[in-house]
Amino acid sequence: MKDKALLFINGNPPESFPDPEQYGLIACTDGAFHYLKNLDFSLDKLDFISGDFDSHSGKEEGIYDERFIYTPDQDKTDFQKALEIITDKGFRKVDVLGGSGGEQDHFLGNLTVAFGYKDQLELKFYDEFSEYYFIPKSFTVQSVKDKMISLYPFPSVENITTHGLNWPLTNGNLSITSRIGTRNFAIEDEVSIEYEQGNLMIFIGKNYL
């Protein structure tokens, strides 16, 4: 069984799509359904469309009615409610498209939701600039030479040491109120990161040079 899910949410539409055959489930929020209808994406591949439908009634899409899941809880975002459905279906790896762009409070909200799921899901965002996700206290990524690497504390990280970056850190501290680790780049094919306390998100961008 394919153990990874693909989820479209309501930020900027993706410029391209991954191979759908690598996913065991494909879903979208009701807002993302708007742009999927206008892009070169087969709606038949969607397993469900969820949300409070404040931006989409679903009524005009008769053949998809059975795939709409109404989630009216206003105490949760549509992204969070979609993740709950995906988790209930047994998936622990989720690729997210449409997580950035659009209204920036949505973007910050998406990162906050991802933070809440970091210990439950292997959750990765992809957009036209980078891929980004929370990383464990000992982490290595390969095939990144010359790519932009940004490290973002959420909200702080203590005793962080990196190898393979142009501006390395050695037992340093990062905090959103003082020093963050954005706009670095990899000088080695492999970058390793270790830290002792806190939570850290990595952004891996396109080639920096």
Side-chain angles (χ1 to χ4, degrees), residues 2-57:
K2 300 168 185 173
D3 64 349
K4 187 162 59 171
L6 175 64
L7 176 62
F8 297 93
I9 59 179
N10 192 23
N12 282 347
E15 295 184 346
S16 60
F17 299 105
D19 179 5
E21 297 304 316
Q22 66 180 301
Y23 297 101
L25 180 144
I26 301 176
C28 71
T29 60
D30 62 326
F33 190 72
H34 279 303
Y35 65 68
L36 288 178
K37 288 194 301 180
N38 297 319
L39 297 176
D40 186 21
F41 183 81
S42 174
L43 298 177
D44 289 334
K45 295 186 181 299
L46 291 171
D47 291 284
F48 72 81
I49 305 103
S50 67
D52 53 21
F53 298 103
D54 58 350
S55 60
H56 188 283
S57 70

Side-chain angles (χ1 to χ4, degrees), residues 30 50-56 69-74 76 78 81:
D30 62 326
S50 67
D52 53 21
F53 298 103
D54 58 350
S55 60
H56 188 283
I69 300 175
Y70 181 51
T71 54
D73 188 350
Q74 293 300 306
K76 300 176 181 178
D78 285 347
K81 290 180 282 188

Side-chain angles (χ1 to χ4, degrees), residues 162-192:
T162 66
H163 298 281
L165 295 178
N166 188 62
W167 295 287
L169 292 164
T170 303
N171 296 323
N173 296 329
L174 299 177
S175 170
I176 61 172
T177 61
S178 56
R179 180 192 187 193
I180 57 176
T182 57
R183 311 309 292 182
N184 210 329
F185 70 93
I187 57 174
E188 303 289 343
D189 199 51
E190 178 179 285
V191 168
S192 63

